[in-house]
Amino acid sequence: MTETSKPRGFSRRSFIKGAAALTAAGALVGCAPKTDDKDEVDSSIAESPDQIFSGTCRGNCGGGCFLNVHVRDGQVVRTSARDMPDPQYNRICTKGLTHVGRMYGANRVMYPMKRVGERGSGDFERISWDEALDTIAEKWKGYTEQYGPTAIMFFLGSGNYAALSGSCNSVGAYQRFVNAMGCSYCSLDVDAAVGFGSSRATGGIDLANELTDRKNAKTQVIWGNNPTISLMHTMHFFLEAKENGTRFVVIDPVYNATVSKADWWVPVKGGTDGALALSVLNVMFENGWIDDDTLRNKTNCGLLIKEDGTFLRMSELGVEPTKGDPDPLTGEPTVIDPPAVWDGAASKAVAFSETTAPALEGVPDVNGVKVQTVYENAMSHISQYPPATAAAICGLTEDHIHELARIYHEDGPVTTEIMMGMNHYRNGHYSAWPVYLVSLLTGNAGKPGAAIGQSEEYLPQMVYSNSKAACYPTDASGKPCPGQANLIHTVQIQDVLETGKLLGQDLTIKSAYIHCSNPVVTMCDHDYTTGWFDKLEFVVVADMCMTETCKHADIVLPSAHWFEQVDLGFLFSSHPYLLWQDKCVEPLGEAKPDFQIFGLLLEKMGKGEFWNITEEEYLETLLDTEYWKSVGCTVEKLKNDKAARIYPEGDKIASAEVFGTETGRINLYQDKVKRAYVSAHEVDESIERGLHWETPTFAGEDREYRATYPFHLLSEHMRTHTHTQWWDCEYVKEYEPEPIVRINPDDAAEMGIAEGDVVKLFNDQGFVVMKAAINAGLPRKMISSARSWQIDDFIDGHFASLPSREYNQVCANQAFNDVAVAIEKM
Ligand code: SF4
């Protein structure tokens, strides 16, 4: 690289001594600091000659902190916490305090660059914007002429949860760009399993209450989540509830910072959560703790399953189907053919809604058709996990399982908090379904103190925004844009590049545009990722830092930092606000906001008419719905107040009255198997229809793979990095300077490994070399390390080379925790 900026403005030492030390140390040892207590910070703000702007910190830590951005002489000199309308949400962390280090760091991309060395070498030279845009347009026009616009593939990450220049799950402006281009789209496929598995139970409805409701829970169960590190601004709500008498239960294989605060710790083996949940259900059913009315009228337990695995429907009993509302995708009326249940009193099968007392067991053949109830099917799975069996699988005692069942039965309301622990396994969706059932069948959802979910405050943004108008532009004549052409999963790219086909259809991909993402580091199977990058003819990456992914690009475009542009912080997990981002300073060097880059690219491609919109107009369009008006979320309010609540006032309590399933009830079985994986491969539906659990594919203790690779490797988040962001920030490197792998002391002693020794982790996939840290919080045969560092940070190899890219048969999900390795002292 021949042109990047140098650190400027502040020395690392002076910065640490100045602002960050006030709160950084506190933020590193407990839950995030409550910044409205920081008198020193507040008084210095008052006396400061700086201009103070509104900012939002919006990487994918989920925090979405509201910031003061302090500007002096056209340069950001520091950041501090800004008051939320509800002070309970006032928080900031070490990273929020060290934006200066990112903005003005040595790796900042300041100019458009073109690659002059090998891919991955980092040899680039500065070019002008005109040359960069002309080169991209020339390449893309050529590909489009020969293969169509689908030869260009857009790749989205989660590096900026803002509506204009960010990622924002299909409502961000990037989606307008994709739709205007009519290009291919590559899916990131991360964090998908729990949402997919839980939707089998719920039909996809939101069951998470607002964080301020935690105080109403008698028990809170943190299941596979270490919020002290990875979602730190939720932690104080849990601890405040605990101080108020709420029992704090943590289910996690590792004794970590969150477990250290627990009243009761359930040290489940990694990836066995589904077996634990099925066993808890087993205890509940054995004890008769699931009430009859719930089973008959709030679940689909009475539905009748034929031998082919599908439901017996009323049309098979001579009742004509009726027409329902139009299908939003096809526009055709939906067909309503209700599933049948057995009405014992009437001795006949009826539509499920026609009786409140459907039989749960022992239904005779119906019109000569052999049937089983959903209840019987569910029990056939649940009965496989009596406490003795599950305790052995999960590394627990039977008492753990009995006590957990008792809590959900007696110590409610229970709020269950789930995050990425079970999400990052190939069996994650199998686990999530019974975990959700534990809450739902005991009435622990849909009321104050009773909830289950991932703390996410995404619902109105995803459901009620006017994304149709904002993201699907028309040309000057009113003709709609072409729209996104297809969906490619990362695991399929190499095959598409080699065969020129996707799902049997011709598809030639020549170029990729990488936005808000660092996939070379974050995706499983590093060699695979660099392999498909190398097969692409032309790669463009837009980023603010020279990441490892940028080094594999042909052209790197300098994206503006979050504070160098107007934007709207849109999707957060730790508070229910939209937050306004002022443009605080001019972009460094020749950087530009991604929103503007999209417009420039479309202009060059002759598609400028689809980007005939300003930043403010885009946001006004997005918020132009009755919902946003009803809660007062308008661009005008956001510009004035800088923050607007996405729900009506009062704790938001999710409803658990009507589920999104076919019957509106809780599912313990489904006859139609949805896939979160668009692929042509065969699926064994008999596994997917009912409750099912299996050990992790690589990390499961009973897997042959573990005989060769005896250590289960967990991929952890870091307090000082948000995924791969902040990896180069000198300030936070004072605390976490390099990658380490944590090893249980007894395992380390057996291998003769001491603190700081250099070790190699390896498996069939690859290897990485880094230093060891001895940590008694890890159980035997489990090690952990962070998925945050770039290739140059490792002594050798790459952490991302260890996890396999293989997906479950129906759920496309990067399984970062389903990894087994061997260890060798170097
Ligand atoms: S990194 Fe996350 S928790 Fe820290 S300040 Fe930014 S948004 Fe808040």
Side-chain angles (χ1 to χ4, degrees):
M1 189 166 56
T2 55
E3 293 269 12
T4 53
S5 65
K6 295 287 177 212
R8 64 202 65 209
F10 288 83
S11 75
R12 161 169 134 179
R13 182 55 58 191
S14 66
F15 178 83
I16 293 287
K17 275 171 72 180
L22 291 174
T23 46
L28 283 160
V29 294
C31 66
K34 188 181 174 191
T35 47
D36 54 357
D37 284 342
K38 295 284 174 283
D39 294 340
E40 289 167 88
V41 171
D42 288 344
S43 62
S44 68
I45 290 170
E47 291 160 14
S48 164
D50 305 342
Q51 283 179 284
I52 297 174
F53 293 89
S54 165
T56 68
C57 190
R58 48 188 189 268
N60 186 13
C61 79
C65 293
F66 199 19
L67 305 180
N68 288 309
V69 182
H70 300 244
V71 174
R72 198 180 307 152
D73 301 329
Q75 183 166 298
V76 176
V77 293
R78 73 182 175 105
T79 43
S80 62
R82 189 179 182 96
D83 285 344
M84 285 280 201
D86 179 347
Q88 293 183 87
Y89 291 111
N90 286 354
R91 284 296 185 281
I92 196 167
C93 85
T94 320
K95 291 167 278 182
L97 290 163
T98 53
H99 276 284
V100 171
R102 290 196 74 210
M103 291 183 79
Y104 305 120
N107 281 291
R108 182 74 197 267
V109 180
M110 294 172 59
Y111 313 103
M113 307 267 197
K114 77 173 176 193
R115 183 168 56 81
V116 292
E118 291 294 304
R119 280 213 171 127
S121 66
D123 293 331
F124 284 81
E125 71 180 26
R126 179 180 175 178
I127 55 174
S128 68
W129 268 102
D130 278 344
E131 183 181 345
L133 293 170
D134 286 343
T135 305
I136 297 168
E138 189 191 327
K139 291 274 187 190
W140 284 2
K141 280 179 178 169
Y143 300 142
T144 302
E145 223 163 82
Q146 208 171 344
Y147 309 104
T150 52
I152 302 148
M153 179 179 79
F154 192 88
F155 192 102
L156 175 75
S158 61
N160 177 5
Y161 274 146
L164 294 173
S165 290
S167 28
C168 282
N169 307 358
S170 80
V171 294
Y174 81 87
Q175 188 67 55
R176 185 181 178 103
F177 175 76
V178 170
N179 289 334
M181 287 285 292
C183 59
S184 297
Y185 179 87
C186 187
S187 165
L188 195 62
D189 299 337
V190 290
D191 307 343
V194 166
F196 182 61
S198 64
S199 70
R200 289 183 166 182
T202 68
I205 66 167
D206 170 37
L207 290 165
N209 292 350
E210 190 171 341
L211 285 158
T212 44
D213 173 60
R214 296 301 182 271
K215 60 186 178 297
N216 296 316
K218 186 170 178 194
T219 309
Q220 41 188 348
V221 176
I222 310 294
W223 199 326
N225 183 6
N226 184 11
T228 308
I229 299 294
S230 55
L231 197 53
M232 58 184 78
H233 297 340
T234 61
M235 189 64 183
H236 75 95
F237 290 104
F238 307 146
L239 294 184
E240 282 156 16
K242 182 188 165 187
E243 280 169 21
N244 207 32
T246 299
R247 191 177 185 204
F248 189 55
V249 175
V250 182
I251 304 175
D252 200 294
V254 179
Y255 185 89
N256 55 36
T258 302
V259 173
S260 73
K261 311 290 182 201
D263 294 310
W264 186 48
W265 174 36
V266 182
V268 67
K269 271 186 191 157
T272 67
D273 310 83
L276 173 59
L278 285 162
S279 192
V280 169
L281 291 170
N282 184 303
V283 172
M284 290 171 172
F285 278 106
E286 284 292 316
N287 286 320
W289 288 345
I290 315 284
D291 72 65
D292 198 62
D293 181 56
T294 298
L295 289 176
R296 291 182 201 276
N297 293 308
K298 293 184 180 153
T299 73
N300 70 347
C301 277
L303 269 53
L304 303 175
I305 307 167
K306 298 179 294 182
E307 285 184 302
D308 69 359
T310 63
F311 290 139
L312 180 72
R313 294 186 177 271
M314 293 308 291
S315 61
E316 296 166 81
L317 304 173
V319 179
E320 275 294 304
T322 54
K323 286 184 179 169
D325 294 336
D327 182 314
L329 291 178
T330 64
E332 296 296 313
T334 47
V335 175
I336 301 176
D337 184 9
V341 296
W342 184 254
D343 183 341
S347 266
K348 65 173 186 176
V350 298
F352 75 93
S353 54
E354 288 176 20
T355 175
T356 56
L360 296 179
E361 301 177 85
V363 175
D365 293 358
V366 181
N367 289 1
V369 177
K370 193 169 168 46
V371 292
Q372 176 192 49
T373 64
V374 165
Y375 176 81
E376 288 168 325
N377 182 282
M379 292 311 297
S380 73
H381 295 282
I382 291 168
S383 63
Q384 293 173 31
Y385 294 91
T389 305
I393 295 170
C394 303
L396 300 172
T397 65
E398 291 182 50
D399 285 349
H400 279 116
I401 297 168
H402 285 285
E403 171 62 2
L404 202 51
R406 189 201 64 74
I407 285 171
Y408 278 92
H409 174 56
E410 287 182 357
D411 282 354
V414 182
T415 290
T416 306
E417 194 79 24
I418 299 176
M419 258 291 166
M420 297 307 158
M422 76 182 83
N423 217 342
H424 290 169
Y425 288 91
R426 265 166 213 84
N427 69 0
H429 70 292
Y430 301 133
S431 292
W433 193 354
V435 165
Y436 266 68
L437 289 179
V438 166
S439 280
L440 298 176
L441 297 184
T442 51
N444 282 301
K447 55 193 180 193
I452 180 163
Q454 302 190 54
S455 295
E456 296 190 335
E457 308 287 358
Y458 287 3
L459 195 66
Q461 293 94 315
M462 303 310 297
V463 177
Y464 302 124
S465 295
N466 192 359
S467 51
K468 189 160 187 285
C471 303
Y472 293 82
T474 54
D475 68 12
S477 68
K479 195 171 147 217
C481 61
Q484 179 184 312
N486 52 43
L487 170 71
I488 309 166
H489 297 288
T490 49
V491 76
Q492 296 165 328
I493 296 174
Q494 188 142 307
D495 188 55
V496 172
L497 291 168
E498 282 171 0
T499 65
K501 290 198 182 299
L502 174 69
L503 304 178
Q505 303 290 313
D506 289 345
L507 178 63
T508 299
I509 301 282
K510 290 285 177 185
S511 177
Y513 186 90
I514 316 289
H515 171 68
C516 286
S517 191
N518 188 6
V520 172
V521 178
T522 54
M523 299 289 93
C524 292
D525 197 341
H526 184 260
D527 287 353
Y528 173 76
T529 310
T530 53
W532 64 256
F533 262 76
D534 289 345
K535 283 197 173 66
L536 288 162
E537 267 187 24
F538 184 63
V539 177
V540 183
V541 181
D543 209 304
M544 56 163 281
C545 294
M546 197 68 183
T547 64
E548 192 180 330
T549 297
C550 287
K551 292 179 181 174
H552 289 264
D554 295 284
I555 300 276
V556 176
L557 299 178
S559 291
H561 180 273
W562 303 336
F563 303 157
E564 295 168 347
Q565 57 194 306
V566 163
D567 216 320
L568 181 62
F570 206 62
L571 297 179
F572 304 125
S573 303
S574 301
H575 63 72
Y577 290 94
L578 303 186
L579 299 177
W580 188 258
Q581 174 66 59
D582 288 325
K583 180 177 177 181
C584 309
V585 289
E586 287 301 321
L588 196 64
E590 292 181 2
K592 292 183 189 296
D594 292 277
F595 185 90
Q596 287 179 20
I597 296 173
F598 291 144
L600 291 169
L601 287 169
L602 287 173
E603 190 66 45
K604 286 280 179 188
M605 291 296 291
K607 291 169 171 271
E609 57 194 332
F610 291 123
W611 209 262
N612 191 14
I613 192 166
T614 65
E615 282 96 335
E616 215 167 300
E617 286 166 351
Y618 184 88
L619 296 175
E620 277 166 355
T621 307
L622 198 62
L623 298 180
D624 185 19
T625 66
E626 287 311 311
Y627 179 83
W628 289 121
K629 285 176 196 150
S630 74
V631 291
C633 278
T634 62
V635 171
E636 196 185 345
K637 178 181 167 65
L638 282 155
K639 280 171 69 181
N640 286 332
D641 300 352
K642 312 297 185 188
R645 187 176 157 85
I646 64 173
Y647 301 121
E649 290 305 320
D651 294 345
K652 168 235 169 185
I653 306 296
S655 169
E657 287 302 309
V658 180
F659 290 81
T661 56
E662 181 185 9
T663 58
R665 301 174 182 190
I666 301 159
N667 269 355
L668 280 78
Y669 186 90
Q670 51 178 358
D671 74 338
K672 295 185 182 69
V673 175
K674 283 190 189 158
R675 299 182 184 200
Y677 184 10
V678 184
S679 166
H681 69 263
E682 289 281 312
V683 166
D684 182 349
E685 297 209 341
S686 67
I687 288 176
E688 305 294 333
R689 285 186 169 126
L691 299 174
H692 165 81
W693 185 79
E694 61 191 36
T695 53
T697 308
F698 294 95
E701 278 194 346
D702 56 344
R703 300 285 184 180
E704 220 174 290
Y705 199 73
R706 285 290 294 272
T708 313
Y709 301 109
F711 286 89
H712 180 176
L713 172 62
L714 286 186
S715 166
E716 62 187 24
H717 286 106
M718 286 173 64
R719 183 173 280 276
T720 56
H721 294 186
T722 296
H723 296 255
T724 67
Q725 291 172 331
W726 274 270
W727 103 94
D728 63 335
C729 176
E730 292 298 321
Y731 305 135
V732 300
K733 277 188 176 176
E734 294 220 344
Y735 298 98
E736 297 190 271
E738 62 186 331
I740 51 166
V741 54
R742 296 178 224 279
I743 307 176
N744 171 282
D746 295 332
D747 286 332
E750 270 180 14
M751 294 181 286
I753 295 170
E755 180 83 17
D757 281 352
V758 174
V759 295
K760 177 178 179 180
L761 316 182
F762 62 97
N763 60 16
D764 285 353
Q765 294 268 133
F767 75 97
V768 65
V769 179
M770 62 177 100
K771 285 185 185 162
I774 312 303
N775 189 311
L778 270 302
R780 295 294 304 266
K781 298 291 180 260
M782 176 176 268
I783 57 176
S784 74
S785 186
R787 179 171 40 90
S788 304
W789 300 94
Q790 319 284 306
I791 193 164
D792 294 341
D793 297 315
F794 299 109
I795 295 168
D796 200 359
H798 204 300
F799 185 71
S801 72
L802 297 169
S804 163
R805 67 180 183 279
E806 227 176 78
Y807 290 160
N808 169 277
Q809 64 169 351
V810 292
C811 186
N813 186 42
Q814 303 273 333
F816 305 113
N817 285 338
D818 197 349
V819 183
V821 298
I823 306 176
E824 188 180 295
K825 184 179 169 184
M826 301 297 282

